[in-house]
């Protein structure tokens, strides 16, 4: 999916032109529109296959009564956690495009010889409910999503639905919680925690090897219709904060309760950090265009060569945008050297593009 299309789609989604469509009680589940202390995501430890498991979310809670066999992921990145936990969804929802089954190269080995999932598409009007129903799911995952209540209720007519957690912005769930909630739903809670710990160890190792990260500020942005910056709850920004970087102090004040927002030139100060990471259409003309802007081009982050550019439609760029338990190790291998070059204190150091 082209960069502008994807960003505009997500911008619209999180501005409440959201993903999925339109009551009832879930078949094979017990759902409630009111929260309950006993329905938190800390229900039974399902790592030994113990069911029922109850998971709290934005619209109440969902009880999964038995181990799911036919899983459909409506959350745009949920398939990676499912694959990491040893299961293959029967249906996935396309975000990036270009990958068979909506499975990126960082996750292909988890697919193995299994058939690729059926890919569902969102055209801006919500989920393809009839096509989802035709897949006969016994679990629908919408953890990384912008599901509305009506859409949740519609999907719940034919399968238990695990919607996004209420304590975060839509599309704002951390990859750790996403992985662990999906682990609980699949009866693999302990395995999910082990996966999370393994990736967190990679962040810790990178931070330890690069102490300059903890002393630096950073921002993640894209040149979409001017400048679009990602807020602290966006998975892309969390890549930076999880590496020890501090995000701009006024970032969320400017962003509000969205995953990101366009900023005016009066707020280009948000870009003047120790490093600015750009997810851009390319790493040549996009740079020239940004630098030709007299306001941005005059910032120290530009003058001192502290920018990182990531081609949005590359596998690397796609992995950054997904930021999942499977894509993050792939990202860190490429992003950490770029960040290290950007904050080494030497203006002459060039931030190289990864070899692949």
């Amino acid at each position: 999916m082209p960069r502008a299309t994807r960003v505009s789609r997500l911008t619209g989604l999180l501005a409440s032109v959201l993903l999925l469509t339109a009551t009832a009680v879930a078949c094979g589940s017990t759902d409630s529109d009111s929260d309950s202390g006993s329905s938190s995501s800390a229900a039974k430890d399902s790592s030994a296959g113990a069911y029922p498991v109850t998971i709290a979310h934005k619209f109440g809670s969902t009880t999964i009564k038995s181990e799911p066999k036919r899983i459909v992921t409506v959350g745009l990145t949920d398939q990676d956690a499912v694959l990491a936990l040893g299961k293959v969804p029967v249906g996935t929802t396309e975000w990036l495009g270009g990958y068979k089954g909506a499975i990126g190269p960082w996750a292909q080995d988890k697919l193995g010889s299994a058939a690729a999932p059926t890919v569902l598409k969102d055209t801006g009007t919500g989920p393809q409910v009839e096509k989802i129903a035709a897949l006969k799911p016994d679990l629908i995952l919408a953890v990384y999503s912008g599901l509305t209540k009506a859409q949740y209720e519609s999907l719940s007519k034919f399968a238990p639905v695990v919607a996004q957690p209420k304590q975060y912005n839509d599309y704002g769930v951390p990859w750790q919680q996403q992985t662990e909630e999906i682990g609980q739903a699949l009866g693999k809670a302990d395995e999910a925690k082990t996966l999370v710990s393994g990736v967190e160890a990679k962040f810790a190792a990178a931070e330890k090897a690069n102490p300059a990260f903890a002393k630096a500020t950073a921002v993640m942005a894209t040149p979409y219709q001017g400048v679009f910056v990602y807020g602290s709850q966006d998975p892309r920004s969390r890549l930076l904060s999880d590496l020890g970087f501090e995000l701009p102090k006024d970032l969320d004040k400017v962003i509000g309760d969205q995953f990101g927002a366009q900023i005016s030139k009066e707020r280009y100060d948000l870009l003047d950090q120790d490093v600015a990471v750009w997810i851009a259409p390319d790493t040549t003309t996009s740079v020239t265009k940004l630098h030709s802007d007299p306001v941005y081009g005059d910032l120290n982050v530009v003058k001192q060569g502290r920018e990182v550019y990531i081609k949005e439609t590359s596998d690397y760029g796609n992995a950054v945008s997904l930021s999942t338990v499977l894509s993050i190790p792939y990202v860190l291998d490429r992003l950490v050297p770029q960040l290290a070059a950007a904050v080494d204190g030497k203006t002459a150091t060039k931030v190289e593009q990864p070899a692949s």
Side-chain angles (χ1 to χ4, degrees):
M1 177 181 300
R3 180 191 61 82
T5 302
R6 178 170 37 179
V7 176
S8 63
R9 171 182 167 189
L10 284 176
T11 304
L13 293 173
L14 276 168
S16 291
V17 183
L18 295 166
L19 275 184
L20 308 148
T21 351
T23 166
V25 178
C27 175
S29 73
T30 302
D31 296 319
S32 170
D33 290 334
S34 61
D35 294 315
S36 164
S38 63
S39 66
S40 81
S41 51
K44 285 186 179 180
D45 181 356
S46 54
S47 58
Y51 287 91
V53 172
T54 303
I55 300 176
H57 50 70
K58 186 175 182 178
F59 307 114
S61 64
T62 294
T63 296
I64 303 161
K65 293 182 177 180
S66 60
E67 181 182 358
K69 305 293 185 183
R70 297 183 61 79
I71 303 158
V72 171
T73 58
V74 167
L76 296 182
T77 66
D78 293 349
Q79 67 270 24
D80 276 14
V82 175
L83 289 163
L85 290 163
K87 289 184 177 288
V88 177
V90 296
T92 55
T93 298
E94 185 177 74
W95 178 15
L96 302 172
Y99 297 131
K100 187 177 181 180
I103 296 172
W106 51 85
Q108 280 293 330
D109 62 331
K110 301 296 182 182
L111 180 62
S113 60
T118 296
V119 177
L120 305 161
K121 297 180 184 292
D122 169 53
T123 60
T125 58
Q128 295 178 299
V129 177
E130 291 183 2
K131 289 187 177 181
I132 294 172
L135 292 173
K136 299 180 179 179
D138 50 16
L139 177 64
I140 298 172
L141 295 171
V143 181
Y144 183 80
S145 79
L147 207 64
T148 67
K149 186 175 181 179
Q151 294 159 356
Y152 165 75
E153 291 175 342
S154 178
L155 293 172
S156 293
K157 290 179 180 179
F158 46 87
V161 180
V162 180
Q164 67 269 34
K166 69 175 184 177
Q167 63 266 46
Y168 299 102
N169 296 342
D170 289 348
Y171 305 99
V173 60
W175 64 269
Q176 295 96 323
Q177 183 166 335
Q178 176 192 38
T179 304
E180 292 186 7
E181 286 195 1
I182 291 174
Q184 289 168 356
L186 302 187
K188 298 190 175 188
D190 286 347
E191 188 175 335
K193 289 177 181 177
T194 299
L195 286 170
V196 168
S197 295
V199 177
E200 287 182 333
K202 293 181 183 294
F203 276 107
E207 188 174 357
K208 183 177 180 180
N210 297 276
F213 290 0
K215 301 175 183 178
T217 58
V219 66
M220 186 83 70
T222 185
Y224 170 69
Q225 293 185 353
V227 170
F228 186 99
V229 295
Y230 296 100
S232 68
Q233 288 194 24
D234 186 85
R236 284 154 285 215
S237 290
R238 284 201 179 100
L239 287 171
L240 300 175
S241 55
D242 285 349
L243 284 168
F245 288 92
E246 181 181 344
L247 300 176
K249 287 184 173 60
D250 287 346
L251 182 61
D252 286 344
K253 183 178 179 181
V254 173
I255 297 305
D257 62 354
Q258 304 298 311
F259 77 104
Q262 271 142 343
I263 59 172
S264 66
K265 292 189 178 185
E266 287 73 23
R267 291 316 313 257
Y268 275 16
D269 58 293
L270 293 172
L271 303 171
D272 203 14
Q273 306 301 320
D274 292 315
V275 58
V277 181
W278 288 95
I279 303 174
D282 58 66
T283 57
T284 52
T285 58
S286 293
V287 180
T288 301
K289 185 175 180 179
L290 279 166
H291 288 187
S292 67
D293 183 298
V295 178
Y296 179 71
D298 196 46
L299 298 179
N300 286 329
V301 69
V302 176
K303 294 177 179 179
Q304 297 173 11
R306 294 188 266 106
E307 300 166 291
V308 168
Y309 284 90
I310 300 168
K311 184 177 179 179
E312 187 198 25
T313 55
S314 65
D315 290 340
Y316 175 27
N318 288 335
V320 169
S321 290
L322 261 68
S323 290
T324 66
V325 68
L326 290 182
S327 75
I328 286 172
Y330 181 96
V331 168
L332 294 181
D333 288 344
R334 294 155 177 77
L335 180 60
V336 170
Q338 288 184 299
L339 292 170
V343 299
D344 72 348
K346 301 174 183 176
T347 303
T349 302
K350 184 178 179 181
V351 179
E352 302 286 354
Q353 291 298 311
S356 62

